[in-house]
Amino acid sequence: MWWKEAVVYQIYPRSFYDSNGDGIGDLAGIIEKLDYLNGKKDSLGIDAIWLSPINPSPMIDFGYDISDYKDIDSIFGNLEVFKKLIKESKKRNIKILMDLVVNHTSDQHPWFIESRSSLENPKRDYYIWVDPVNGKPPNNWLGAFGGNAWEFDTETHQYYYHGFTVEQPDLNWRNKDVQKEIQDVIKFWLDLGVDGFRLDVVNYYFKDEKLRSNPIDLLKGLRPYDVQIHKYDRDRKETHSILKKFRKILDSYNGNRVSIGEVFIEPPGNPKLANSYLGENDELHMAFNFAFLYSSWNAFSFRDEIIAWEKALDQNGWPNYTLSNHDQIRHISRYKKGKETVPRAKLAALLLLSLRGTPFLYYGEEIGMEDQPLPKEKIQDPLGKKYWPIFSGRDRTRLPMCWDGSKYAGFSEVEPWLPLNRNYKEVNVENSLEDKNSLFYTYKNLLEIRRESKTLKKGDIEILKSNKEILAYLRTYKSERILVLINFTNSDQDCNLKKLDTKKLEIIFDTHNKFIKEKISDFYLYPNQGIIGKVI
Ligand code: NOJ
C-alpha cells in the first residue's frame, strides 16, 4: 500500500524539460531532471510521478487523443527511453503512474479508421454508431468541449459519439473485444514495470443503453452542456464491472499497483459518487478529489471539503487531495493577493502535505509558477480555440517549467511550444534553491517531515472547533498527536481551541520560522501563519 504513504507529482511531459532542442519536453528530459525530484540531498523529495499521456497521438488534445496504446509518441521518445525512465526512477525510489485514456481514442487510431470504413467492418462496433432518427442525432447529448456529441459520417450515414472533440470518438465499452483490448493494454504497461494508472474520465466509459436524452435544468449553468443533468451519458452502473476487472489485473501484480480515477463531476464534485467507484475495495484504489480546486481562500471552505470527503469514505476508502492540475488555473494564481501570494502558497502546501490522504502536486507549484493567460495567436488548447475570448483555455496552466533565468528558462535551447512565464527570471528552480526561505523549501521541508512521520502519513484526522478564521486539526497515531493550525487571514488570530486538553506544543514546522524549535503554550498565530506541532 505504498500509495497511501506516497506523494505524487504530476508532470505534463510537453512542459517539463526539453532534452533534444525541439521546444517540447520529452522523456529523456524527465530522466535528466529526476535528481531534482528525488534521490539526492537537494531533491524535492516526492515518491511517484504521474505522467500526462505520452502515447502516440495527433495531439489535438495534447495526448488525450491516443492513436496507439502500446507505444510512445516520437515527440517524447520511444519505448527504450521509457524503459530507461522506469529504471532510473526506480534507482531514486520514484514510482511511475501512466495516464490511461480509454474512454475515447483518437480518430486516427487504427481501430477507428477501420471502424468508420464500413458498416460491416469487424471493428464497427468498437465505437458507438447509430442511425439518424428522423434525420437527426438520436438524443440531446452534447460534447463536454462544446457542440453536438454526435458526428454524422457521410460515407456510412450513421452518427458516431464523441464526448469531447470530434477527433476523440468514444469507445464502445459494451463490446467485449474492446474490453479485452484495453485489459491487454493495462498488462502491457504493468509488464514494463509501471506502478499504476490515472484513469481519464473513468465515469464516462458507459452510456445509457437506450440512449435516453438527458434532463435539462436551465438554472444549472451557462453553456448548453452545463444545463444538462448528465444522467444518461455518464455514471452508468456498468462501469463498476469493468473497474472490477481492472482491479483484478492490478492486484495480480503483487498487489502493489495502483489506480486513481478521474471521476469527472461538476464543481465542486460529489465525494459520495466519486467514492462509489472504489466498490468494496475491489474497484479503483482512489477517486480523485477535486474539491480544493474550487475552494475559496478561507478556513471554512477547506474545512467543509475535508469533512465531506472523510465522511464519504468507508473504512477501505483512502482520501487524496490536489490543489492544481493541467486542466485548472494553478492555485497560486487563484489565491493571488499581492504580498500575501507566496505566504498563502506556503499555507496551501502545509495543508496539502499534512492532511490524511495521498497528496498530488502539479509540476512547478513547488516554486510558485503562476498561470499566465495567452494572447489568442498563442493558444493551442482546443477548448481555448473554441471558446476564446470567453474562455482562453488551459494552456495558461501548462507553461514550460522554469529551471533558471536564462533565455528559455533553462527549459529548452529554442523557443518553447508555449510562452514562458513573464516572471521566470525571478521565479525559477535555480533561484528557489538558493533562497532558504523560498516556497521550494517549504515543500521540501514538509515532504521530509511527512516522510518521517507515521502520524502524518497514516494517522487519523479530527477537525477541531476553533476560531472560524483558523483551520485546526489533530492527526493521531498510537499515542502521538500532531496539531496543525492554519491562519487564512492577514491578521493575528487567537486560535481559540476549545477542546484541546493541553496547551503545550513542540513545533516541528512553521511557515514563518518564528516558532521553530520552540515550545509554545499559547495558540496565537501571526498573519498567514501555519504551524505543525507535536502535542506534549
Ligand atoms: C480529462 C483530462 O484531464 C483533460 O485534459 C482531457 O482534455 C479530457 N479528459 C479528455 O480526455
Side-chain angles (χ1 to χ4, degrees):
M1 304 266 238
W2 60 269
W3 48 273
K4 289 194 171 174
E5 300 189 12
V7 176
V8 184
Y9 185 91
Q10 180 189 358
I11 289 183
Y12 196 70
R14 294 180 75 85
S15 294
F16 199 57
Y17 183 60
D18 170 21
S19 74
N20 63 353
D22 61 1
I24 301 175
D26 46 55
L27 296 186
I30 297 175
I31 296 173
E32 274 189 51
K33 295 294 184 186
L34 285 174
D35 284 343
Y36 168 72
L37 296 174
N38 207 21
K40 287 267 177 326
K41 208 171 106 267
D42 284 346
S43 311
L44 177 61
I46 51 86
D47 308 290
I49 296 171
W50 148 31
L51 295 166
S52 279
I54 50 174
N55 304 110
S57 160
M59 301 288 168
I60 297 288
D61 192 13
F62 296 103
Y64 285 94
D65 50 324
I66 292 175
S67 54
D68 181 354
Y69 284 112
K70 293 188 180 168
D71 206 348
I72 303 289
D73 195 287
S74 56
I75 289 184
F76 298 125
N78 54 40
L79 280 171
E80 286 316 304
V81 188
F82 183 74
K83 285 182 199 157
K84 185 166 173 212
L85 172 65
I86 300 252
K87 204 168 126 203
E88 291 299 320
S89 302
K90 287 225 168 3
K91 279 190 202 160
R92 294 163 177 83
N93 284 324
I94 300 174
K95 311 256 187 203
I96 300 284
L97 308 183
M98 295 278 285
D99 216 314
L100 188 70
V101 188
V102 294
N103 170 67
H104 45 269
T105 69
S106 158
D107 63 351
Q108 299 307 307
H109 195 294
W111 297 341
F112 189 70
I113 293 174
E114 276 197 50
S115 179
R116 83 181 314 171
S117 67
S118 79
L119 292 169
E120 294 76 36
N121 187 282
K123 298 233 166 19
R124 184 69 173 181
D125 191 48
Y126 268 39
Y127 294 84
I128 304 167
W129 290 99
V130 292
D131 287 326
V133 178
N134 302 324
K136 294 206 180 98
N139 60 26
N140 70 354
W141 296 354
L142 300 173
F145 287 178
N148 207 298
W150 296 101
E151 180 71 8
F152 189 66
D153 180 61
T154 48
E155 296 290 311
T156 56
H157 301 281
Q158 282 193 318
Y159 287 97
Y160 71 84
Y161 178 80
H162 60 90
F164 294 90
T165 67
V166 177
E167 295 89 349
Q168 290 165 297
D170 279 45
L171 283 165
N172 175 14
W173 273 94
R174 296 182 187 278
N175 180 303
K176 292 273 180 297
D177 291 332
V178 166
Q179 297 185 10
K180 272 200 223 103
E181 299 260 24
I182 301 299
Q183 289 174 33
D184 220 45
V185 168
I186 293 177
K187 288 183 204 149
F188 175 84
W189 293 102
L190 292 174
D191 288 340
L192 279 178
V194 309
D195 299 285
F197 301 93
R198 173 261 187 194
L199 282 70
D200 193 61
V201 287
V202 69
N203 58 327
Y204 283 39
Y205 290 4
F206 279 88
K207 295 53 163 153
D208 181 40
E209 205 163 18
K210 295 190 194 134
L211 303 180
R212 283 169 282 192
S213 279
N214 282 325
I216 305 279
D217 173 357
L218 289 175
L219 299 177
K220 232 181 105 246
L222 287 177
R223 294 188 312 154
Y225 184 81
D226 300 328
V227 300
Q228 291 201 354
I229 300 169
H230 293 278
K231 185 168 174 191
Y232 294 118
D233 54 353
R234 40 168 123 136
D235 294 306
R236 308 303 298 167
K237 63 175 185 328
E238 293 89 334
T239 310
H240 297 286
S241 64
I242 291 299
L243 291 181
K244 288 192 170 63
K245 289 185 185 156
F246 285 5
R247 179 61 176 261
K248 279 213 172 97
I249 299 176
L250 287 162
D251 285 351
S252 70
Y253 286 75
N254 300 330
N256 65 2
R257 313 291 170 104
V258 67
S259 57
I260 170 146
E262 180 198 29
V263 181
F264 194 85
I265 306 165
E266 275 122 21
N270 176 340
K272 245 199 144 48
L273 179 58
N275 288 306
S276 69
Y277 289 95
L278 308 186
E280 286 170 15
N281 202 17
D282 56 358
E283 296 183 29
L284 293 173
H285 294 85
M286 289 180 279
F288 256 118
N289 171 2
F290 295 129
F292 285 1
L293 298 172
Y294 312 105
S295 295
S296 317
W297 188 255
N298 59 60
F300 24 99
S301 177
F302 288 100
R303 181 191 302 135
D304 286 354
E305 296 302 350
I306 298 164
I307 293 173
W309 269 77
E310 284 287 341
K311 227 171 112 187
L313 293 161
D314 64 20
Q315 82 245 32
N316 294 319
W318 183 249
N320 66 89
Y321 293 94
T322 185
L323 288 161
S324 291
N325 67 25
H326 65 293
D327 288 331
Q328 303 290 338
I329 296 182
R330 288 174 177 272
H331 66 275
I332 193 161
S333 300
R334 296 200 308 269
Y335 300 136
K336 193 174 170 75
K337 198 174 173 225
K339 288 209 169 76
E340 286 180 69
T341 306
V342 174
R344 283 180 170 197
K346 289 185 175 176
L347 289 180
L350 185 145
L351 172 70
L352 186 67
L353 297 171
S354 65
L355 283 169
R356 187 181 93 100
T358 304
F360 283 76
L361 313 185
Y362 183 52
Y363 82 96
E365 78 173 61
E366 73 281 10
I367 56 166
M369 269 177 67
E370 293 182 19
D371 264 47
Q372 182 175 293
L374 305 188
K376 189 175 180 222
E377 66 278 8
K378 298 276 184 199
I379 292 176
Q380 310 240 14
D381 177 24
L383 256 180
K385 286 184 181 157
K386 181 149 196 147
Y387 287 109
W388 193 90
I390 297 166
F391 176 57
S392 64
R394 301 164 295 178
D395 304 303
R396 55 185 292 167
T397 202
R398 303 170 176 176
L399 302 184
M401 179 77 170
C402 304
W403 294 100
D404 60 36
S406 66
K407 188 157 181 213
Y408 296 118
F411 165 76
S412 175
E413 282 168 7
V414 300
E415 192 178 336
W417 75 290
L418 284 177
L420 296 168
N421 275 80
R422 269 188 292 273
N423 65 2
Y424 81 88
K425 290 209 158 99
E426 294 85 55
V427 179
N428 60 51
V429 171
E430 193 175 67
N431 285 351
S432 301
L433 286 168
E434 272 163 20
D435 174 8
K436 290 282 173 214
N437 285 318
S438 68
L439 179 59
F440 175 86
Y441 282 104
T442 300
Y443 273 88
K444 183 173 161 57
N445 294 341
L446 284 165
L447 284 162
E448 204 171 305
I449 290 168
R450 186 177 177 96
R451 190 170 327 111
E452 299 304 320
S453 166
K454 285 208 169 72
T455 307
L456 288 179
K457 283 190 295 196
K458 302 181 177 194
D460 292 339
I461 184 165
E462 183 193 352
I463 306 269
L464 300 181
K465 283 222 167 66
S466 64
N467 164 352
K468 68 178 181 2
E469 308 289 2
I470 299 287
L471 180 55
Y473 46 91
L474 260 188
R475 303 291 318 276
T476 311
Y477 184 73
K478 297 190 176 154
S479 61
E480 183 173 77
R481 290 192 296 168
I482 289 184
L483 178 66
V484 179
L485 297 171
I486 302 175
N487 178 2
F488 282 83
T489 72
N490 195 24
S491 47
D492 293 334
Q493 297 288 343
D494 177 352
C495 295
N496 208 359
L497 297 180
K498 299 223 169 62
K499 249 182 73 188
L500 202 65
D501 51 10
T502 170
K503 285 218 153 188
K504 288 226 174 82
L505 267 197
E506 182 188 316
I507 302 296
I508 46 182
F509 184 83
D510 173 5
T511 50
H512 290 25
N513 294 333
K514 284 190 192 294
F515 295 145
I516 209 73
K517 302 242 173 335
E518 271 185 41
K519 294 193 172 127
I520 60 166
S521 52
D522 288 319
F523 299 138
Y524 284 94
L525 292 180
Y526 291 102
N528 300 304
Q529 187 178 29
I531 56 175
I532 303 180
K534 260 187 214 156
V535 179
I536 42 177

